[in-house]
Amino acid sequence: AITAVLHSVLGPTGHLLEIASGSGQHTAHFAASFPNWTFQPTDMGDEQLTSIASWSAERSNVSTPLHLDVRQPWPVHAADVIFCANMIHIAPWECALALLRGASACLPMGGYLVLYGPFLRSDHPTAPSNLRFDASLRARDPAWGIRDLDEVRRQASTHQLRLEQVVEMPANNLTVVFEKE
């Protein structure tokens, strides 16, 4: 389902930076789906970087995974699209803010930041499963939790990122696309 949204965002060629690539499954799938794009996966943990490399070993359009903590200077300074799945709710709010700041610095005008995961929305009732998930995240770490999409949009706008589209996804998730203005 995420790939379908990316088809509406990605041009014929380009460079996609993935933040918090985790196991590397998204990167490997996207690289197979978009062979004319170059993918740069990143994560904070050595175990994740090893897993990403393993998942992408057969993909010539995937660069060597890089260590990236969004709160620190980024090792990548330019990308046409930045993709981040399931990070901003499993990290302190400062990481979401750092992601927005870093994305704005990396993206050209007209570039996209694509976020995937659960969000709270004032104009839509929140699914009970997302409320339970939010409570379990906050029980694990009070700095974690499902983020309010309106607040993410407000913060993004301070970094020249305009909300372009919100796409309903399976399992009460969203794919949210911001464009650099």
Side-chain angles (χ1 to χ4, degrees):
I2 298 169
T3 303
V5 176
L6 289 178
H7 274 289
S8 72
V9 172
L10 301 184
T13 63
H15 180 82
L16 184 142
L17 170 62
E18 185 179 10
I19 305 294
S21 301
S23 68
Q25 291 174 307
H26 283 130
T27 300
H29 179 78
F30 298 154
S33 298
F34 301 96
N36 295 324
W37 274 71
T38 301
F39 294 84
Q40 178 59 71
T42 67
D43 210 287
M44 286 180 50
D46 291 339
E47 186 175 316
Q48 287 81 9
L49 295 175
T50 300
S51 178
I52 297 163
S54 177
W55 273 95
S56 300
E58 303 297 317
R59 303 282 172 220
S60 62
N61 60 334
V62 177
S63 301
T64 302
L66 297 175
H67 180 270
L68 187 145
D69 178 336
V70 292
R71 299 166 295 185
Q72 303 297 320
W74 290 17
V76 176
H77 304 290
D80 300 302
V81 173
I82 296 174
F83 175 77
C84 183
N86 296 317
M87 184 201 82
I88 67 171
H89 59 281
I90 308 177
W93 178 239
E94 71 183 77
C95 292
L97 298 176
L99 172 63
L100 297 171
R101 187 172 50 252
S104 181
C106 269
L107 291 171
M109 295 301 172
Y112 295 102
L113 169 63
V114 181
L115 304 178
Y116 171 84
F119 289 89
L120 301 174
R121 297 193 295 174
S122 59
D123 60 340
H124 286 73
T126 303
S129 61
N130 277 358
L131 293 174
R132 287 189 300 275
F133 183 47
D134 182 59
S136 72
L137 289 171
R138 293 177 190 282
R140 287 172 50 198
D141 187 323
W144 294 3
I146 297 177
R147 307 303 176 188
D148 179 270
L149 182 56
D150 288 335
E151 183 58 25
V152 174
R153 182 192 50 76
R154 276 191 291 278
Q155 293 299 324
S157 71
T158 68
H159 298 287
Q160 298 177 283
L161 297 167
R162 179 182 50 81
L163 183 60
E164 176 69 21
Q165 67 176 327
V166 176
V167 182
E168 301 274 345
M169 304 297 283
N172 301 309
N173 288 318
L174 301 174
T175 297
V176 182
V177 180
F178 293 93
E179 183 176 1
K180 170 88 179 274
E181 296 185 303

